[in-house]
Amino acid sequence: MSPADKPRQTAASGAALKGPKILAVASGKGGVGKTWFSVTLAHGLSRMGKKVLLFDADLGLANVDIQLGLMPQRDLGGVIGGRLSLAQAKIHYDDGNFDIIAGRSGSGSLATLPANRLQSLGNELVQLSDSYDRVVMDLGAGLDRTVRILASRAGQIVVVTTAEPTSLTDAYAFVKVAHQNDPNCDISIVVNSADSVNDGRKTYETLRKATMNFLKFEPALLGIIRRDRKVIESIRNQSPILSRFPSTMASSDMEAIVDKLL
């Protein structure tokens, strides 16, 4: 049974309301390509005929709209300010054929929301997810309270890491906290910017052994994305790599990840 097919947890069960269709993309540290992965994943799922929402949940340093060259008139700031519902804040990204709820870049006040407002936002997102096949939630980097609360609403968490020791250390820290918060949570790993598939597998094995030794838990390997200069080029051009460079290595690796998810 896939996460999207599992029954939704309710607040009555004593746990946070959880959306089985919500896939949270996380990382221990910044700079690992998490937002690029989120954008490309949403686009890839849309290309497979799925109705997709991309939710920029980095409440302090939002940049999904920047990567796609958008200047949205509505964003998460309107939701936080009580002027809009989440459903009213969404915009449609025509080039990728998916919906986006943009964040509010540079607004530190959003990153310090009271816990009850974050819980309310999470509940609203779970309810909105019923209207989609998948919701891709691009979390902020790190392990702060905002990230932990929003991650708890996802039926599936994908942790993006690279081979850098600091990235692996921080990815392990995220997996540890997420697994302790919910031992039944579906957590998987994506190794980004790998020099080769073999090197990507070695990176994953390093993380897998650490989680097995210290947590008695093994997150699955969702995929490996090879280092590809076309990724930077697509970001600079503010266009999705799957449409701009569909035959490049990173596009092929992302399509394999989408296939595995589906």
Side-chain angles (χ1 to χ4, degrees):
M1 179 181 290
S2 71
D5 295 325
K6 294 177 182 176
R8 184 168 76 180
Q9 282 185 297
T10 65
S13 67
L17 195 66
K18 187 181 289 286
K21 296 179 182 179
I22 300 175
L23 184 153
V25 180
S27 68
K29 68 185 289 291
V32 300
K34 174 181 56 60
T35 295
W36 173 84
F37 176 82
S38 299
V39 169
T40 310
L41 179 61
H43 189 204
L45 290 167
S46 173
R47 283 159 59 100
M48 295 297 288
K50 301 300 179 183
K51 185 180 180 183
V52 180
L53 171 67
L54 175 58
F55 176 54
D56 191 346
D58 189 341
L59 301 187
L61 297 170
N63 59 5
V64 162
D65 53 332
I66 296 171
Q67 285 209 13
L68 293 175
L70 301 174
M71 298 183 66
Q73 299 300 308
R74 304 182 300 276
D75 61 25
L76 194 56
V79 179
I80 302 301
R83 300 183 300 277
L84 301 170
S85 66
L86 271 184
Q88 291 170 332
K90 70 184 181 183
I91 60 173
H92 189 68
Y93 177 55
D94 292 333
D95 290 348
N97 194 30
F98 56 87
D99 289 343
I100 295 173
I101 295 177
R104 174 64 69 86
S105 183
S107 180
S109 61
L110 300 186
T112 56
L113 283 175
N116 64 326
R117 290 291 289 117
L118 283 171
Q119 296 287 0
S120 176
L121 182 66
N123 288 343
E124 193 173 355
L125 180 64
V126 171
Q127 292 164 2
L128 183 59
S129 71
D130 287 341
S131 302
Y132 291 89
D133 295 315
R134 285 294 174 98
V135 173
V136 178
M137 177 164 54
D138 181 28
L139 293 169
L143 278 167
D144 65 24
R145 177 182 57 100
T146 301
V147 171
R148 296 195 307 271
I149 289 175
L150 292 178
S152 71
R153 302 314 181 99
Q156 185 173 9
I157 298 175
V158 175
V159 180
V160 180
T161 188
T162 67
E164 294 181 9
T166 53
S167 176
L168 276 171
T169 300
D170 290 349
Y172 168 80
F174 187 95
V175 171
K176 177 181 178 180
V177 170
H179 180 65
Q180 288 176 340
N181 286 346
D182 181 4
N184 296 316
C185 186
D186 182 351
I187 305 174
S188 55
I189 305 298
V190 164
V191 179
N192 194 22
S193 299
D195 289 332
S196 67
V197 172
N198 188 49
D199 284 341
R201 290 191 180 279
K202 289 178 180 177
T203 298
Y204 165 72
E205 277 300 308
T206 299
L207 183 56
R208 184 195 67 80
K209 288 177 181 177
T211 59
M212 189 60 195
N213 288 339
F214 297 106
L215 306 179
K216 308 305 178 189
F217 164 72
E218 292 181 318
L221 176 63
L222 180 59
I224 296 166
I225 304 169
R226 291 165 289 177
R227 190 184 308 276
D228 190 333
R229 60 185 178 84
K230 294 297 185 183
V231 170
I232 299 299
E233 194 170 335
S234 68
I235 293 173
R236 285 175 178 166
N237 285 279
Q238 296 179 304
S239 60
I241 193 171
L242 294 179
S243 53
R244 190 171 186 87
F245 303 112
S247 301
T248 197
M249 284 191 303
S251 291
S252 175
D253 295 338
M254 280 300 307
E255 287 173 344
I257 288 171
V258 170
D259 287 343
K260 195 169 184 178
L261 281 173
L262 296 178

